[in-house]
PDB file of all heavy atoms in Angstrom:
ATOM      1  N   SER A 291     138.707  78.818 -29.343  1.00 96.00           N
ATOM      2  CA  SER A 291     139.897  78.346 -28.561  1.00 96.00           C
ATOM      3  C   SER A 291     140.961  77.829 -29.496  1.00 96.00           C
ATOM      4  O   SER A 291     140.620  77.280 -30.545  1.00 96.00           O
ATOM      5  CB  SER A 291     139.568  77.353 -27.496  1.00 96.00           C
ATOM      6  OG  SER A 291     138.952  76.146 -28.135  1.00 96.00           O
ATOM      7  N   TRP A 292     142.235  77.995 -29.098  1.00 98.00           N
ATOM      8  CA  TRP A 292     143.369  77.614 -29.972  1.00 98.00           C
ATOM      9  C   TRP A 292     144.430  76.890 -29.169  1.00 98.00           C
ATOM     10  O   TRP A 292     144.591  77.043 -27.887  1.00 98.00           O
ATOM     11  CB  TRP A 292     143.919  78.879 -30.516  1.00 98.00           C
ATOM     12  CG  TRP A 292     143.039  79.661 -31.402  1.00 98.00           C
ATOM     13  CD1 TRP A 292     142.129  80.642 -30.914  1.00 98.00           C
ATOM     14  CD2 TRP A 292     142.804  79.532 -32.695  1.00 98.00           C
ATOM     15  NE1 TRP A 292     141.413  81.134 -31.970  1.00 98.00           N
ATOM     16  CE2 TRP A 292     141.808  80.514 -33.056  1.00 98.00           C
ATOM     17  CE3 TRP A 292     143.291  78.746 -33.729  1.00 98.00           C
ATOM     18  CZ2 TRP A 292     141.296  80.623 -34.397  1.00 98.00           C
ATOM     19  CZ3 TRP A 292     142.873  78.839 -35.042  1.00 98.00           C
ATOM     20  CH2 TRP A 292     141.854  79.764 -35.385  1.00 98.00           C
ATOM     21  N   ASP A 293     145.149  75.990 -29.872  1.00 98.00           N
ATOM     22  CA  ASP A 293     146.155  75.272 -29.284  1.00 98.00           C
ATOM     23  C   ASP A 293     147.538  76.081 -29.249  1.00 98.00           C
ATOM     24  O   ASP A 293     148.307  75.985 -28.286  1.00 98.00           O
ATOM     25  CB  ASP A 293     146.534  73.988 -30.084  1.00 98.00           C
ATOM     26  CG  ASP A 293     145.302  73.073 -30.177  1.00 98.00           C
ATOM     27  OD1 ASP A 293     144.713  72.783 -29.137  1.00 98.00           O
ATOM     28  OD2 ASP A 293     144.917  72.695 -31.329  1.00 98.00           O
ATOM     29  N   LEU A 327     143.198  80.145 -24.843  1.00 98.00           N
ATOM     30  CA  LEU A 327     144.058  79.004 -24.966  1.00 98.00           C
ATOM     31  C   LEU A 327     143.351  77.708 -24.370  1.00 98.00           C
ATOM     32  O   LEU A 327     142.783  77.736 -23.398  1.00 98.00           O
ATOM     33  CB  LEU A 327     145.321  79.185 -24.136  1.00 98.00           C
ATOM     34  CG  LEU A 327     146.579  79.889 -24.786  1.00 98.00           C
ATOM     35  CD1 LEU A 327     147.694  79.902 -23.781  1.00 98.00           C
ATOM     36  CD2 LEU A 327     147.004  79.121 -26.065  1.00 98.00           C
ATOM     37  N   GLU A 328     143.589  76.627 -25.229  1.00 98.00           N
ATOM     38  CA  GLU A 328     143.136  75.338 -24.765  1.00 98.00           C
ATOM     39  C   GLU A 328     144.041  74.860 -23.571  1.00 98.00           C
ATOM     40  O   GLU A 328     145.194  75.334 -23.571  1.00 98.00           O
ATOM     41  CB  GLU A 328     143.256  74.341 -25.888  1.00 98.00           C
ATOM     42  CG  GLU A 328     142.098  74.447 -26.964  1.00 98.00           C
ATOM     43  CD  GLU A 328     140.789  73.797 -26.484  1.00 98.00           C
ATOM     44  OE1 GLU A 328     140.840  73.197 -25.355  1.00 98.00           O
ATOM     45  OE2 GLU A 328     139.800  73.908 -27.186  1.00 98.00           O
ATOM     46  N   PRO A 329     143.620  73.983 -22.659  1.00 97.00           N
ATOM     47  CA  PRO A 329     144.550  73.405 -21.697  1.00 97.00           C
ATOM     48  C   PRO A 329     145.705  72.857 -22.315  1.00 97.00           C
ATOM     49  O   PRO A 329     145.632  72.065 -23.426  1.00 97.00           O
ATOM     50  CB  PRO A 329     143.741  72.369 -21.000  1.00 97.00           C
ATOM     51  CG  PRO A 329     142.259  72.885 -21.096  1.00 97.00           C
ATOM     52  CD  PRO A 329     142.276  73.539 -22.492  1.00 97.00           C
ATOM     53  N   GLY A 330     146.961  73.091 -21.909  1.00 98.00           N
ATOM     54  CA  GLY A 330     148.128  72.572 -22.561  1.00 98.00           C
ATOM     55  C   GLY A 330     148.523  73.434 -23.780  1.00 98.00           C
ATOM     56  O   GLY A 330     149.584  73.188 -24.306  1.00 98.00           O
ATOM     57  N   GLY A 331     147.815  74.440 -23.980  1.00 98.00           N
ATOM     58  CA  GLY A 331     148.045  75.334 -25.226  1.00 98.00           C
ATOM     59  C   GLY A 331     149.246  76.194 -24.977  1.00 98.00           C
ATOM     60  O   GLY A 331     149.800  76.507 -23.834  1.00 98.00           O
ATOM     61  N   ILE A 332     149.773  76.649 -26.143  1.00 98.00           N
ATOM     62  CA  ILE A 332     151.068  77.485 -26.169  1.00 98.00           C
ATOM     63  C   ILE A 332     150.743  78.888 -26.571  1.00 98.00           C
ATOM     64  O   ILE A 332     149.960  79.148 -27.518  1.00 98.00           O
ATOM     65  CB  ILE A 332     152.100  76.897 -27.208  1.00 98.00           C
ATOM     66  CG1 ILE A 332     152.436  75.439 -26.790  1.00 98.00           C
ATOM     67  CG2 ILE A 332     153.348  77.782 -27.259  1.00 98.00           C
ATOM     68  CD1 ILE A 332     153.194  75.332 -25.553  1.00 98.00           C
ATOM     69  N   GLN A 392     152.957  78.156 -21.627  1.00 98.00           N
ATOM     70  CA  GLN A 392     151.973  77.040 -21.785  1.00 98.00           C
ATOM     71  C   GLN A 392     150.942  77.077 -20.640  1.00 98.00           C
ATOM     72  O   GLN A 392     151.321  77.314 -19.424  1.00 98.00           O
ATOM     73  CB  GLN A 392     152.713  75.679 -21.626  1.00 98.00           C
ATOM     74  CG  GLN A 392     151.825  74.554 -21.920  1.00 98.00           C
ATOM     75  CD  GLN A 392     152.524  73.221 -21.941  1.00 98.00           C
ATOM     76  OE1 GLN A 392     153.535  72.976 -21.193  1.00 98.00           O
ATOM     77  NE2 GLN A 392     152.188  72.348 -22.834  1.00 98.00           N
ATOM     78  N   ARG A 393     149.716  76.955 -20.999  1.00 98.00           N
ATOM     79  CA  ARG A 393     148.701  76.850 -20.020  1.00 98.00           C
ATOM     80  C   ARG A 393     148.677  75.485 -19.455  1.00 98.00           C
ATOM     81  O   ARG A 393     148.736  74.482 -20.179  1.00 98.00           O
ATOM     82  CB  ARG A 393     147.337  77.074 -20.628  1.00 98.00           C
ATOM     83  CG  ARG A 393     146.081  76.948 -19.674  1.00 98.00           C
ATOM     84  CD  ARG A 393     144.789  77.052 -20.326  1.00 98.00           C
ATOM     85  NE  ARG A 393     143.807  76.667 -19.359  1.00 98.00           N
ATOM     86  CZ  ARG A 393     142.489  76.619 -19.727  1.00 98.00           C
ATOM     87  NH1 ARG A 393     141.984  76.795 -20.992  1.00 98.00           N
ATOM     88  NH2 ARG A 393     141.626  76.116 -18.789  1.00 98.00           N
ATOM     89  N   ILE A 394     148.715  75.339 -18.154  1.00 96.00           N
ATOM     90  CA  ILE A 394     148.685  74.061 -17.435  1.00 96.00           C
ATOM     91  C   ILE A 394     147.552  73.849 -16.529  1.00 96.00           C
ATOM     92  O   ILE A 394     146.762  74.804 -16.354  1.00 96.00           O
ATOM     93  CB  ILE A 394     150.013  73.933 -16.699  1.00 96.00           C
ATOM     94  CG1 ILE A 394     150.199  75.017 -15.649  1.00 96.00           C
ATOM     95  CG2 ILE A 394     151.244  73.852 -17.598  1.00 96.00           C
ATOM     96  CD1 ILE A 394     151.379  74.860 -14.713  1.00 96.00           C
TER      97      ILE A 394
END
Side-chain angles (χ1 to χ4, degrees):
S291 61
W292 299 88
D293 301 308
L327 269 184
E328 286 281 355
I332 299 294
Q392 185 176 38
R393 178 185 170 187
I394 57 176

